[in-house]
Amino acid sequence: MADELALGMSELTALLLTGDEVAESLCAIADAVARMLPNHPMAGVTLVHGHGTIVGGSSAAHAMLVEETQRSEGYDPCLQAIDTAQQVSVHDVAAEHRWGGYSNRMLAFGVKSIYAQPLSVDGAAVGALSLYSTQPNGFTDRIRRAADLTAEHLGVLLAVATDTARQAELTEQLRATLASRSTIDQALGILMAERRCDRDAAFEVLRRRSQQRNVRVADLAVEMIRTVTGRAPAAPHFIEPIAPSRSLGHS
């Protein structure tokens, strides 16, 4: 078990921190979880996404989870785990009466017991890891402990991915602002040379033209540079390329 968990943790780290968007990796994450846990249960990962949720499942569970998402009445063990930030155990689906018709739908898929553990980032539940067994009472203490460790590790990785995405977004905003400022400065230089005026007077000309044509100052500056040089303004040389970043797929 220890070796499988260690290998699984390493695989999850690689998936979450070096791959594509987290939202696009959920099936691969669920597959890794299914392989690393004792008895290899079916697994699903749900993340809060914008105004809804997104879900991915291991190979044996994905079609079931997609169909359930389409038929759900809006509440189930996974969503309860997210809302309450507490684990949810369903020892025998046949005897479970919460969540409307959820139990009957799970029984139709052959699911007899469920274990859902919230995934937390900065103390807030942002998703859930859910496990599904074809046997009642399918999750022993050993499996639940391994699932809890896995969920904790996923939470840490999600926190890192979230912070990386946030920093990348701020950096991109700064990059765009600096590029816009550089373009405007180039246009002001053109006006200053043409009109033999200072920077303030040149900016007033640019601002007035922007208002008259209802065009953003930055866009007008690009147009002026194209007219004079015959090409679009080059990116400022002091802006370094930004490496691809991880994100949660915010909408």
Side-chain angles (χ1 to χ4, degrees):
M1 170 183 167
D3 288 344
E4 289 182 333
L5 277 177
L7 289 173
M9 297 294 188
S10 177
E11 184 176 358
L12 290 175
T13 301
L15 284 170
L16 276 164
L17 301 185
T18 64
D20 296 323
E21 287 192 352
V22 174
E24 297 173 359
S25 304
L26 294 187
C27 289
I29 293 169
D31 266 328
V33 170
R35 287 193 298 270
M36 68 191 282
L37 292 181
N39 297 346
H40 309 298
M42 294 181 286
V45 179
T46 301
L47 291 179
V48 177
H49 184 256
H51 298 292
T53 58
I54 51 175
V55 62
S58 58
S59 298
H62 186 65
M64 172 187 76
L65 295 178
V66 170
E67 183 173 337
E68 173 56 26
T69 298
Q70 295 170 346
R71 299 175 62 186
S72 174
E73 292 116 4
Y75 212 56
D76 58 34
C78 184
L79 295 179
Q80 181 172 323
I82 297 172
D83 289 346
T84 64
Q86 299 289 329
Q87 61 87 11
V88 177
S89 293
V90 181
H91 299 289
D92 186 354
V93 173
E96 181 57 64
H97 302 295
R98 293 174 289 178
W99 312 302
Y102 176 80
S103 294
N104 287 335
R105 293 194 297 274
M106 288 295 101
L107 288 171
F109 287 116
V111 172
K112 303 294 180 62
S113 55
I114 301 167
Y115 184 71
Q117 180 74 9
L119 302 174
S120 298
V121 172
D122 297 330
V126 300
L129 171 65
S130 50
L131 306 178
Y132 306 88
S133 173
T134 58
Q135 300 294 326
N137 299 298
F139 301 106
T140 63
D141 289 342
R142 176 170 172 260
I143 296 174
R144 288 197 296 271
R145 283 195 300 271
D148 294 349
L149 286 172
T150 302
E152 182 177 351
H153 185 66
L154 281 171
V156 172
L157 294 176
L158 286 171
V160 173
T162 299
D163 185 64
T164 300
R166 186 183 300 117
Q167 292 300 321
E169 182 179 358
L170 291 174
T171 302
E172 185 59 35
Q173 290 173 356
L174 176 61
R175 177 177 181 170
T177 299
L178 291 174
S180 177
R181 176 63 180 272
S182 175
T183 300
I184 292 172
D185 283 344
Q186 292 176 58
L188 291 177
I190 292 171
L191 287 172
M192 290 166 66
E194 289 178 348
R195 293 176 171 261
R196 298 184 181 278
C197 63
D198 62 18
R199 191 180 188 282
D200 289 343
F203 184 81
E204 180 60 26
V205 172
L206 190 62
R207 185 188 65 80
R208 188 164 57 249
R209 289 181 182 178
S210 170
Q211 292 177 338
Q212 290 170 346
R213 294 181 53 188
N214 195 26
V215 176
R216 291 192 322 125
V217 169
D219 294 337
L220 184 59
V222 170
E223 181 181 316
M224 289 179 58
I225 294 169
R226 280 202 179 105
T227 300
V228 172
T229 67
R231 57 182 182 272
H237 71 277
F238 49 82
I239 297 179
E240 297 295 330
I242 297 176
S245 63
R246 306 286 291 131
S247 87
L248 289 178
H250 299 297
S251 63

